[in-house]
Amino acid sequence: MTTLVWLRDDLRLADHPALTAAAQDPDGLIVLYVLEDASEHVRPLGAAARWWLHHSLVSLRNSLERHGIELVLRRGVAETVVPAVARESGADRVLWNRRYSGARAHDANIKAALREAGVEAHSTPGDLLFEPWRIANGEGNPYRVYSAFWRACTSGLPPAAPLDPPETLTAAAASVDGDALESWGLLPHAPDWSRGIAERWTPGESAARDKLTAFLADGTQHYARRDFPAERTGSELSPHLRWGEISPRQVWHEALRAGGDVGLFLSELGWREFAKHTAYHFGPLESRSLDPRFEGFPWRTVVADELRAWQQGRTGFGIVDAGMQELWQTGFMHNRVRMVVASLLTKNLRFDWRIGEAWFWDTLVDADEASNPFNWQWVAGCGADAAPYFRVFNPDLQQKKFDPESRYVDRWAPYSAGLPRILDLKTSRAEALQAYQSITR
């Protein structure tokens, strides 16, 4: 039997259920990645994510070549491409790890088309600790509150143990043509804005493993100070998890094996899980508010100069400007600061949360179709287990509490103190609360 393995957000060899199953086939396997940037079923990637994808595919291609396997690249709609590659290669079976977004209906159509053509098609567990249909409340409904959700997750059987990478992989006899990665144009054209991202990050499975090992060896003892952005005490695994260069099962089990106080760290993995379960049951999250009242919320008409000041880190609020500069220069922003900049946009400026979500989608290397809108909705007050709308992050107080010596601000936005502020915090907060009252009457 010859098996075609269709990759998506699972660019690794270890703990890859579909690849492990395919490795047993005597007639060998073919590995395929499809760039679906023009499919109505898949959200087109932002610029920073495209940069990461390019380098992650290079890393994966090199890993596969060491096993004598070619990574076949095709651009197009998977519903057309996957059956076509199966025909060209003479594959008897197609395997993939599941997606849990709205694209799962798309995957079901592909599975049905393959089976109708006489090709076996199976999906295996994907990038979650727990399958979404297995976690439900007493009434059989999905959870809307994180604490109850995470208790349900952690009170039953633990996540499955991760799979070792296959020791050997055998290439199928058939040769299949693919695209040259460079022809996809994933990297920026001149001017090249990615230098800071390249200095901060190394995409790929090996780098992901190294980052986890280093964090578990030393970082967990400092994790309680993860809210202090100048200290970089977080794991910084989010882009590696987003692209599936490491699985949440690997992170979970290795953290427990390392010992120490890892409960807080694993709860952050649980928050990622909660976002993806919410997207599975209620998505797509980027297009509408989970709280339907907010579809009638009186968002302000966007003022171009104000939005541009927020995007460019020129608001006059130090911690906000520093966060937006860190984002622009490195494709990443500290989690505490993400909440502060999102609050300023959605509550003080009172611009629709979708505007900020779209900016993050384009500029974050870890932009995830579940977590990114889920977190924006949480800050805006319209999502699952959302922060109350009246919780408005005061950027001055946040900076005083979490960057008291201005080390973070001085690194990323030392100019900010000399800028005029684009709004008055007290007035804008009062106006936001009044707007909120209009949808709660």
Side-chain angles (χ1 to χ4, degrees), residues 263-320:
L264 187 60
F265 170 60
L266 293 180
S267 72
E268 296 295 338
L269 201 61
W271 184 257
R272 172 187 183 272
E273 192 89 354
F274 187 42
K276 288 186 171 290
H277 281 235
T278 302
Y280 174 84
H281 292 292
F282 303 107
L285 298 180
E286 75 274 7
S287 59
R288 61 180 178 83
S289 302
L290 280 172
D291 184 341
R293 295 176 302 170
F294 276 82
E295 293 306 292
F297 185 81
W299 302 108
R300 288 178 63 222
T301 301
V302 171
V303 179
D305 288 347
E306 294 176 351
L307 178 60
R308 192 176 304 112
W310 179 83
Q311 292 172 331
Q312 296 178 353
R314 304 193 66 81
T315 67
F317 296 98
I319 196 168
V320 172

Side-chain angles (χ1 to χ4, degrees), residues 25-37:
D25 292 341
D27 294 330
L29 58 88
I30 296 157
V31 179
L32 168 70
Y33 182 87
V34 182
L35 179 63
E36 293 190 87
D37 57 353

Side-chain angles (χ1 to χ4, degrees), residues 340-375:
V340 179
V341 304
S343 178
L344 190 83
L345 185 78
T346 60
K347 295 178 178 176
N348 298 101
L349 284 170
R350 218 167 77 246
F351 293 164
D352 193 318
W353 63 266
R354 281 161 280 226
I355 294 168
E357 193 277 337
W359 183 254
F360 272 29
W361 181 259
D362 192 46
T363 53
L364 280 171
V365 292
D366 65 0
D368 177 89
E369 62 183 337
S371 294
N372 194 51
F374 179 88
N375 289 327

Side-chain angles (χ1 to χ4, degrees), residues 86-97:
R87 286 194 304 272
E88 293 169 26
S89 63
D92 310 291
R93 183 170 68 156
V94 180
L95 300 178
W96 61 81
N97 296 330

Side-chain angles (χ1 to χ4, degrees), residues 127-183:
D127 67 339
L128 289 176
L129 297 170
F130 307 97
E131 299 284 44
W133 49 88
R134 297 189 183 279
I135 306 297
N137 63 21
E139 290 74 43
N141 297 319
Y143 286 96
R144 302 295 290 264
V145 176
Y146 170 69
S147 57
F149 167 81
W150 194 230
R151 279 196 302 272
C153 288
T154 55
S155 61
L157 294 174
L163 301 166
D164 292 331
E167 293 185 4
T168 59
L169 295 172
T170 303
S175 176
V176 180
D177 293 333
D179 301 336
L181 178 59
E182 292 70 23
S183 72

Side-chain angles (χ1 to χ4, degrees), residues 195-405:
R195 181 176 300 175
I197 298 178
E199 291 174 353
R200 177 81 176 261
W201 300 103
T202 302
E205 182 175 13
S206 178
R209 295 278 308 181
D210 290 346
K211 185 151 286 189
L212 176 61
T213 299
F215 175 73
L216 293 178
D218 181 58
T220 52
Q221 61 183 310
H222 308 295
Y223 195 65
R225 292 183 61 81
R226 72 196 187 286
D227 282 326
F228 293 81
E231 299 184 17
R232 287 186 66 174
T233 54
S235 70
E236 297 191 353
L237 285 168
S238 58
H240 299 290
L241 282 163
R242 183 263 178 265
W243 292 103
E245 297 168 349
I246 196 167
S247 78
R249 294 177 293 271
Q250 291 173 284
V251 176
W252 173 278
H253 286 283
E254 291 200 27
L256 292 178
R257 189 159 50 246
D261 185 7
V262 296
L264 187 60
F265 170 60
L266 293 180
S267 72
E268 296 295 338
L269 201 61
W271 184 257
R272 172 187 183 272
E273 192 89 354
F274 187 42
K276 288 186 171 290
H277 281 235
T278 302
Y280 174 84
H281 292 292
F282 303 107
L285 298 180
E286 75 274 7
S287 59
R288 61 180 178 83
S289 302
L290 280 172
D291 184 341
R293 295 176 302 170
F294 276 82
E295 293 306 292
F297 185 81
W299 302 108
R300 288 178 63 222
T301 301
V302 171
V303 179
D305 288 347
E306 294 176 351
L307 178 60
R308 192 176 304 112
W310 179 83
Q311 292 172 331
Q312 296 178 353
R314 304 193 66 81
T315 67
F317 296 98
I319 196 168
V320 172
D321 293 344
M324 299 307 288
Q325 281 294 316
E326 181 188 23
L327 172 63
W328 183 253
Q329 294 181 42
T330 71
F332 188 77
M333 188 191 301
H334 185 276
N335 189 58
R336 164 63 57 174
V337 184
R338 293 189 196 201
M339 293 188 284
V340 179
V341 304
S343 178
L344 190 83
L345 185 78
T346 60
K347 295 178 178 176
N348 298 101
L349 284 170
R350 218 167 77 246
F351 293 164
D352 193 318
W353 63 266
R354 281 161 280 226
I355 294 168
E357 193 277 337
W359 183 254
F360 272 29
W361 181 259
D362 192 46
T363 53
L364 280 171
V365 292
D366 65 0
D368 177 89
E369 62 183 337
S371 294
N372 194 51
F374 179 88
N375 289 327
W376 271 92
Q377 291 208 40
W378 184 85
V379 174
C382 59
D385 199 14
Y389 189 79
F390 54 79
R391 184 186 184 190
V392 182
F393 286 87
N394 182 308
D396 291 337
L397 296 180
Q398 291 287 308
Q399 182 175 336
K400 185 178 296 184
K401 184 175 182 179
F402 297 111
D403 191 33
E405 298 175 356

